[in-house]
Short mmCIF file of all heavy atoms in Angstrom, two decimals:
data_model
loop_
_atom_site.label_atom_id
_atom_site.label_comp_id
_atom_site.label_asym_id
_atom_site.label_seq_id
_atom_site.Cartn_x
_atom_site.Cartn_y
_atom_site.Cartn_z
N SER A 630 137.44 118.13 112.59
CA SER A 630 137.14 119.05 111.47
C SER A 630 137.26 118.26 110.21
O SER A 630 138.33 117.87 109.80
CB SER A 630 138.13 120.21 111.49
OG SER A 630 137.83 121.07 110.40
N GLU A 693 103.88 97.88 105.27
CA GLU A 693 103.63 99.32 105.52
C GLU A 693 104.99 100.04 105.53
O GLU A 693 105.87 99.73 106.37
CB GLU A 693 102.91 99.51 106.85
CG GLU A 693 101.59 98.78 106.95
CD GLU A 693 100.56 99.40 105.99
OE1 GLU A 693 100.60 100.62 105.71
OE2 GLU A 693 99.67 98.63 105.55
N ILE A 741 90.18 104.38 83.62
CA ILE A 741 90.78 103.43 84.55
C ILE A 741 90.06 103.45 85.86
O ILE A 741 89.39 104.44 86.21
CB ILE A 741 92.29 103.72 84.77
CG1 ILE A 741 92.49 105.09 85.44
CG2 ILE A 741 93.11 103.56 83.50
CD1 ILE A 741 93.92 105.39 85.76
N ASP A 746 88.63 95.92 95.92
CA ASP A 746 88.91 94.63 96.56
C ASP A 746 90.08 93.87 95.88
O ASP A 746 90.39 92.76 96.25
CB ASP A 746 87.68 93.72 96.60
CG ASP A 746 87.21 93.31 95.20
OD1 ASP A 746 87.64 93.94 94.23
OD2 ASP A 746 86.40 92.35 95.14
N TRP A 749 96.06 93.23 97.92
CA TRP A 749 96.65 92.13 98.72
C TRP A 749 97.98 92.60 99.36
O TRP A 749 98.82 93.27 98.73
CB TRP A 749 96.94 90.93 97.82
CG TRP A 749 95.74 90.35 97.15
CD1 TRP A 749 94.92 89.41 97.64
CD2 TRP A 749 95.26 90.66 95.85
NE1 TRP A 749 93.94 89.09 96.73
CE2 TRP A 749 94.12 89.86 95.62
CE3 TRP A 749 95.65 91.56 94.86
CZ2 TRP A 749 93.37 89.91 94.45
CZ3 TRP A 749 94.92 91.63 93.66
CH2 TRP A 749 93.83 90.80 93.47
N MET A 790 105.00 88.42 92.47
CA MET A 790 104.35 88.45 91.16
C MET A 790 105.23 87.64 90.12
O MET A 790 104.71 86.96 89.29
CB MET A 790 104.13 89.88 90.69
CG MET A 790 102.98 90.56 91.39
SD MET A 790 101.41 89.70 91.29
CE MET A 790 101.10 89.71 89.51
N PRO A 796 100.93 86.85 85.39
CA PRO A 796 99.88 86.50 84.45
C PRO A 796 99.20 87.74 83.79
O PRO A 796 98.54 87.59 82.79
CB PRO A 796 98.90 85.71 85.30
CG PRO A 796 99.21 86.06 86.71
CD PRO A 796 100.65 86.39 86.76
N VAL A 802 107.17 98.65 91.63
CA VAL A 802 107.39 100.02 92.15
C VAL A 802 108.11 99.95 93.47
O VAL A 802 107.88 99.06 94.30
CB VAL A 802 106.04 100.74 92.29
CG1 VAL A 802 106.20 102.08 92.91
CG2 VAL A 802 105.31 100.80 90.94
N PRO A 814 116.35 90.19 85.40
CA PRO A 814 117.75 89.76 85.22
C PRO A 814 118.72 90.91 85.03
O PRO A 814 119.89 90.81 85.42
CB PRO A 814 117.67 88.86 84.03
CG PRO A 814 116.47 89.28 83.28
CD PRO A 814 115.51 89.75 84.28
N GLN A 838 130.27 106.61 96.32
CA GLN A 838 131.49 107.25 95.75
C GLN A 838 131.49 108.72 96.12
O GLN A 838 132.51 109.29 96.55
CB GLN A 838 131.51 107.08 94.26
CG GLN A 838 132.70 107.78 93.58
CD GLN A 838 133.98 107.05 93.68
OE1 GLN A 838 134.07 105.89 93.20
NE2 GLN A 838 134.96 107.64 94.34
N ASN A 897 115.00 98.84 117.46
CA ASN A 897 116.14 98.08 116.99
C ASN A 897 117.10 98.89 116.18
O ASN A 897 118.33 98.78 116.30
CB ASN A 897 115.62 96.89 116.16
CG ASN A 897 114.90 95.84 116.98
OD1 ASN A 897 115.00 95.81 118.19
ND2 ASN A 897 114.16 94.97 116.29
N LEU A 905 127.00 101.43 117.06
CA LEU A 905 128.10 101.64 116.11
C LEU A 905 128.71 103.04 116.07
O LEU A 905 129.80 103.22 115.53
CB LEU A 905 127.64 101.29 114.69
CG LEU A 905 127.26 99.84 114.35
CD1 LEU A 905 126.90 99.70 112.90
CD2 LEU A 905 128.41 98.92 114.69
N GLU A 908 132.32 103.60 116.74
CA GLU A 908 133.24 102.70 116.07
C GLU A 908 133.45 103.02 114.59
O GLU A 908 134.27 102.39 113.90
CB GLU A 908 132.72 101.25 116.14
CG GLU A 908 132.51 100.77 117.59
CD GLU A 908 131.94 99.36 117.62
OE1 GLU A 908 132.08 98.62 116.60
OE2 GLU A 908 131.35 98.99 118.64
N ILE A 920 113.00 103.26 110.12
CA ILE A 920 113.28 104.67 109.90
C ILE A 920 112.03 105.29 109.30
O ILE A 920 111.71 105.06 108.13
CB ILE A 920 114.50 104.87 108.97
CG1 ILE A 920 115.72 104.28 109.66
CG2 ILE A 920 114.69 106.33 108.69
CD1 ILE A 920 117.00 104.42 108.81
N MET A 966 105.82 110.05 87.67
CA MET A 966 105.50 110.22 86.24
C MET A 966 106.09 109.09 85.44
O MET A 966 105.48 108.62 84.44
CB MET A 966 106.04 111.56 85.76
CG MET A 966 105.81 111.83 84.27
SD MET A 966 104.06 111.72 83.77
CE MET A 966 103.47 113.30 84.39
N THR A 971 104.63 104.56 82.10
CA THR A 971 104.72 103.14 81.81
C THR A 971 103.33 102.49 81.77
O THR A 971 103.04 101.71 80.88
CB THR A 971 105.60 102.43 82.88
OG1 THR A 971 106.92 103.00 82.83
CG2 THR A 971 105.68 100.96 82.65
N PHE A 1006 131.89 119.53 110.56
CA PHE A 1006 132.18 119.46 109.12
C PHE A 1006 132.16 120.87 108.53
O PHE A 1006 131.13 121.50 108.59
CB PHE A 1006 131.20 118.54 108.45
CG PHE A 1006 131.33 118.49 106.93
CD1 PHE A 1006 132.57 118.32 106.35
CD2 PHE A 1006 130.23 118.59 106.13
CE1 PHE A 1006 132.71 118.26 104.97
CE2 PHE A 1006 130.34 118.57 104.77
CZ PHE A 1006 131.57 118.39 104.20
N ILE A 1012 131.29 122.40 97.46
CA ILE A 1012 130.11 121.59 97.82
C ILE A 1012 128.88 122.53 97.87
O ILE A 1012 127.80 122.18 97.41
CB ILE A 1012 130.30 120.93 99.21
CG1 ILE A 1012 131.23 119.73 99.03
CG2 ILE A 1012 129.00 120.45 99.77
CD1 ILE A 1012 130.66 118.62 98.22
#
Side-chain angles (χ1 to χ4, degrees):
S630 179
E693 301 293 330
I741 61 176
D746 66 343
W749 298 271
M790 287 304 298
V802 175
Q838 175 80 62
N897 291 343
L905 292 183
E908 303 178 21
I920 298 180
M966 178 56 77
T971 298
F1006 174 48
I1012 285 292

